[in-house]
Amino acid sequence: MINTANFLSQLFNGLVLGALLALISSGLTIIYGTLGVLNLAHGALFMLGGYAGWLAFEYSHSFILAVAAGALFVMVVGVIMEQVIIKHFYSRPDEDQLLVTFGLSIVFAELIRYFFGSLSKKVPPPDIFGGITNMGFMVYPTYRLALLGIIAVALLVLYWVLYRTRIGMIVRAGIEDSVAVDSLGINVYKVFTLVFGIGAMAAGFSGIVYSPVVAMSPDSGDAILVQTFVVVVIGGVGSFPGAILGGLIAGEIISLTSMVNPAYSMIMLFVAMTLVLVFRPRGLMGSIGRT
Amino acid sequence: MSKFESTNGVSRRSALQISAAGGMVATGLGGVQWAMAQDKPKLGATWPEGSQGDTVYLGAAVPLTGTYAVQGADELKGMELAIEHINTNHELMKALAPKVNSGVNGKKVKLLSADSAAKPNQALQVSQTFIAQNKIIAMTGSTSSAVAVAMNKFAQREKIIYMAAISGSNDTTGKDCVRYGFRQGVYGEMTANAIGPILVKQFGKNRKAAFMTPDYTYGHTTTESVNNYLTKEGGWKMVTNQVSPLGTQDFSQYLTNIANSGAEFLINVNWGRDAVLSSQQAKQFGLIPKMTLVLPYQIPFIAKEAGVDITHGVYAATDFWWTLEDKYPLAKMFVESFHKKYGYRPEWGAENGYVSFAHWARMVTEAGSFYPPDVIKQWEKGETIPSLLGDVHYRPEDHQCVRPVIIVRGKEKKDMKNDEDFWDIVEIVDGAKVIQKPDAFGCKLGDYT
């Protein structure tokens, strides 16, 4: 079934999937790069974004409000998480951080299951992005096309915040030398709380904009978390451009492999990750990592 | 995640055992047990310990998280209702198992349940805990045939009766059958032979079909059965078979392959949330309604989750649908009783859980014993017994219940009489006519002791 139409279709599929993985991973990698926390609750935050957006949509029937609600709610959850729990774990061993964030992911999923049951929930795409678009070489759901644009804008905004604003500068300086930044009279820890909130918001935003494509269920975060981590490892832990590159590579590997044999797509993704770890342990664009 | 309803049962039972030692011979029941202890020596993990207190325990490892969580929760409700009815002599239970009398064989029945996440290792772990802590005398679970097959082997090793809950693989009572395993529900081969003639009659011969298959024993055996039927009897051609892992979220790559395959039919063997997501995304990609969707082994509540715009006009084979209450009085009693307790109409899983437990209660009370080989031999008499869908029987050769397969077609929204009226019953297919010969899939049951 490998013909030009199918190849182009899968190439495009990989781009959309890759963009989504890039956006989710960017949040994970910002948090790790800045705070050194491997947040295993990141997938659950993605799921929470989907549910918060769905709930907002049920009341408002507005896609825009749903997206805003999903992103902001998860940002608030992220800030509370950081203030109440995570900040006590900065100086603790990595395994403590992993356990506490893993525990939080279970708590979030079970809370959602308790309140909303296990039936999956989805927000319909806005009317303007409904239906199918004929792209010549393939027909494609219009919303998935729109998603590509939405994600590109979101990534640009994130990039701008991190690399073109004062906050971004403090964040990046804080990563290098938090003591020096602190001595300049800047409260690094407040900035760190904000960073956790922004990272969480990237997950929440991804969840709600992805909801029209894949209906959300309490377990939605589990599946995406694994792929997100693979993306971060391939791109380089802590690297924002790496998350984007890793996401696109992962999306294409999954899609193009499935053209030959879908059963091998996840295996090929892990093969790629292993190769990167063997030949470039810090990931393709990482500056920190295992050596 | 796990829910253990009772963890102090063991100590209470220990106390009862001590007091029973003195008083056992004095009572009629005690006399029977004493005799059993002489000619029925210790067997497996829980005989005779599991049957000695005033309560016997059943263990249920059901998926409450993951891809099959919705179905697992429904299944568990059916089981809970059955246990309640066994202990309170509900008239429905008395109709299915007449010798039930405030429990079975003079003992109350208690259900222990925990999450299996539809994973074989987790189901085994949970069941092992039930054995160690509560000496369960029967087990259930599954909703994934991978779990059912693993539990079959475990049951045979531990000598504890296992009733597969929903399990669609041909292997469960086929090549992986065991003496200690029983299955009440329908499965791939039966549904293929039931829905196949309807598809060929409705859509004609020599059509092109794309299959979507979940990558484990249920998916592969069901796809094979359905494809065999359509190929041999209808001259249909499988133009592609897209195999995806259990728990897939984004089916876009698979759907893209199907879009480029030239198929006229989308035969979706995925189940649970996989079926919901893949069908929704097939519509997003414009494959539905361009291709005709068929759900050969399906949860009827997919309509509730995926939407009637996807399921209307779709043919599906299933185990139970609540409007069967119009035809079967026992089904009506079940639906009313369930609806009253849980606030919605029962799904296939609930029916499966309820009837499996009712049949277990019937066998145990008819045998008048908990000794596993006695109970198994009672089952293997193959007697005609009632179910919610008329009389059925279990085949002694492979422990499969011979029961009807229900073919449904999705209703349009305007035709729905209430918010759960998703399907028309197209046909109730006699199980005996669509089941394969007992040895067709290589079943060899194994030993009693």
Side-chain angles (χ1 to χ4, degrees), chain B residues 190-256:
Chain B
M190 285 178 88
T191 60
N193 293 334
I195 199 170
I198 292 167
L199 294 178
V200 174
K201 187 178 160 202
Q202 185 70 24
F203 300 112
K205 296 197 166 189
N206 305 319
R207 309 303 299 261
K208 288 186 279 188
F211 282 72
M212 294 187 87
T213 305
D215 193 9
Y216 71 104
T217 176
Y218 151 70
H220 292 294
T221 62
T222 301
T223 291
E224 188 184 353
S225 289
V226 174
N227 185 47
N228 280 348
Y229 185 92
L230 292 175
T231 307
K232 281 183 193 152
E233 307 296 329
W236 287 36
K237 186 169 181 253
M238 178 198 274
V239 290
T240 182
N241 181 23
Q242 295 293 311
V243 180
S244 53
L246 188 66
T248 296
Q249 308 264 314
D250 188 344
F251 288 85
S252 55
Q253 308 103 42
Y254 310 100
L255 295 168
T256 303

Side-chain angles (χ1 to χ4, degrees), chain A residues 1 3 5-6 9-10 13 17 106 110 113 118-120 122 132 139-141 144 210 212-215 217-220 223 254-255 258-259 262-263 265, chain B residues 1 64-67 69-70 215 239-240 242-243 245 247 249-254 256-258 260-261 273 276-277 280-281 283-286 301 304-305:
Chain A
M1 237 181 357
N3 53 41
N6 200 17
S9 308
Q10 292 292 14
N13 252 336
L17 177 63
I106 294 172
E110 291 309 311
R113 201 186 310 282
S118 287
L119 282 178
S120 53
K122 68 183 297 199
I132 306 154
V139 292
Y140 209 68
R144 286 196 191 227
Y210 200 41
V213 176
V214 176
S217 62
D219 312 299
S220 288
I254 292 171
S255 280
S258 73
M259 194 170 53
S265 25
Chain B
M1 275 193 292
L64 299 173
T65 59
T67 313
V70 174
D215 193 9
V239 290
T240 182
Q242 295 293 311
V243 180
Q249 308 264 314
D250 188 344
F251 288 85
S252 55
Q253 308 103 42
Y254 310 100
T256 303
N257 288 340
I258 290 170
N260 285 286
S261 70
R273 188 171 299 127
V276 172
L277 295 180
Q280 280 175 337
Q281 290 168 36
K283 186 172 166 62
Q284 287 168 13
F285 271 79
F301 271 12
K304 196 180 210 173
E305 210 171 352

Side-chain angles (χ1 to χ4, degrees), chain B residues 40-94:
Chain B
K40 288 163 184 167
K42 181 169 171 54
L43 175 66
T46 61
W47 173 265
E49 302 93 319
S51 314
Q52 286 173 338
D54 60 350
T55 304
V56 289
Y57 291 84
L58 306 186
V62 290
L64 299 173
T65 59
T67 313
Y68 295 160
V70 174
Q71 292 68 40
D74 181 69
E75 204 169 66
L76 183 57
K77 288 187 175 79
M79 293 169 187
E80 285 169 348
L81 190 67
I83 298 297
E84 185 186 314
H85 285 184
I86 288 171
N87 288 330
T88 57
N89 298 334
H90 190 277
E91 58 174 328
L92 172 57
M93 187 55 70
K94 290 292 275 187

Side-chain angles (χ1 to χ4, degrees), chain A residues 3-13 134-140 145, chain B residues 256 260:
Chain A
N3 53 41
T4 314
N6 200 17
F7 178 76
L8 289 173
S9 308
Q10 292 292 14
L11 205 62
F12 195 78
N13 252 336
N134 192 338
M135 300 171 66
F137 60 93
M138 70 183 297
V139 292
Y140 209 68
L145 283 174
Chain B
T256 303
N260 285 286

Side-chain angles (χ1 to χ4, degrees), chain B residues 186-199 202-203 294-298 300 313-321 323-324 389 403-410 423-430 434:
Chain B
V186 300
Y187 56 96
E189 178 72 8
M190 285 178 88
T191 60
N193 293 334
I195 199 170
I198 292 167
L199 294 178
Q202 185 70 24
F203 300 112
V294 175
L295 303 165
Y297 184 86
Q298 206 37 259
V314 170
Y315 283 88
T318 187
D319 198 282
F320 180 76
W321 179 238
T323 58
L324 288 162
L389 307 179
R403 45 145 301 145
V405 183
I406 312 301
I407 308 297
V408 293
R409 186 180 52 230
W423 305 90
D424 279 320
I425 308 283
V426 174
E427 203 169 320
I428 299 166
V429 182
D430 180 1
V434 293

Side-chain angles (χ1 to χ4, degrees), chain B residues 92-128:
Chain B
L92 172 57
M93 187 55 70
K94 290 292 275 187
L96 294 168
K99 290 186 182 168
V100 158
N101 185 14
S102 299
V104 289
N105 297 350
K107 293 168 196 296
K108 288 284 183 196
V109 182
K110 195 154 188 176
L111 180 66
L112 304 160
S113 65
D115 182 25
S116 71
K119 292 176 183 163
N121 56 348
Q122 196 164 324
L124 292 189
Q125 256 176 23
V126 161
S127 304
Q128 189 71 63

